[in-house]
Amino acid sequence: MTDDQWQATIQSKLVGQMNVVKVGLDYIESGGSFTLISGILNIKPMPLAIADATTSGAIDTFVKCVAFELPRGIRINAVNPTVIEEAWGMYGEMMPGYQPVPGALVGKAFERSVDSFITGQVIFVDA
């Protein structure tokens, strides 16, 4: 990968979500929650996806660590899904051996993150 490709992935996938939390702290209510999204490639890597795998791992680690530092009872979790069925037509050819999951199942992971008491957790959605 070129330096520009690395930077684009890091800035959009990782730093972008970290900034949502940083800026959002000024607006979120006490006891509110953030849910970030990573992706399965840090657990199940595939060729030519090192930047996505690296940033997914960083997001998962960020969530686990920053949960202990958030003020006012604010929670944070990450949803780490495999490829979603609805996107299989676009990504399936690049992901041989992966089993897609329904988007509704990924939605349930977000619901669990927001509506439960957990914090600092990575919710894996994999087949």
Side-chain angles (χ1 to χ4, degrees), residues 88-112:
W88 188 247
M90 181 180 291
Y91 296 106
E93 201 170 284
M94 295 183 291
M95 302 182 79
Y98 285 75
Q99 178 66 42
V101 296
L105 189 59
V106 176
K108 287 292 185 184
F110 275 90
E111 182 179 2
R112 179 173 171 224

Side-chain angles (χ1 to χ4, degrees), residues 1-17 49-56 59:
M1 293 184 70
T2 67
D3 287 345
D4 287 344
Q5 289 171 319
W6 267 100
Q7 283 304 315
T9 302
I10 291 168
Q11 289 300 315
S12 62
K13 186 171 181 172
L14 174 60
V15 177
Q17 291 190 88
I50 190 168
D52 286 321
T54 301
T55 53
S56 288
I59 292 163

Side-chain angles (χ1 to χ4, degrees), residues 70-106:
L70 294 178
R72 305 186 329 269
I74 295 169
R75 299 177 303 103
I76 188 169
N77 298 293
V79 173
N80 182 316
T82 190
V83 64
I84 299 170
E85 280 179 358
E86 292 81 355
W88 188 247
M90 181 180 291
Y91 296 106
E93 201 170 284
M94 295 183 291
M95 302 182 79
Y98 285 75
Q99 178 66 42
V101 296
L105 189 59
V106 176

Side-chain angles (χ1 to χ4, degrees), residues 14-25 28-38 58-79 109-110 112-123:
L14 174 60
V15 177
Q17 291 190 88
M18 291 170 68
N19 284 338
V20 165
V21 175
K22 181 180 176 183
V23 172
L25 285 172
I28 194 169
E29 293 185 19
S30 295
S33 73
F34 293 100
T35 302
L36 307 185
I37 188 162
S38 57
I59 292 163
D60 289 354
T61 301
F62 172 75
V63 161
K64 291 176 186 179
C65 295
V66 80
F68 296 101
E69 299 181 18
L70 294 178
R72 305 186 329 269
I74 295 169
R75 299 177 303 103
I76 188 169
N77 298 293
V79 173
F110 275 90
R112 179 173 171 224
S113 174
V114 172
D115 292 339
S116 71
F117 61 89
I118 63 173
T119 191
Q121 300 297 306
V122 178
I123 304 169

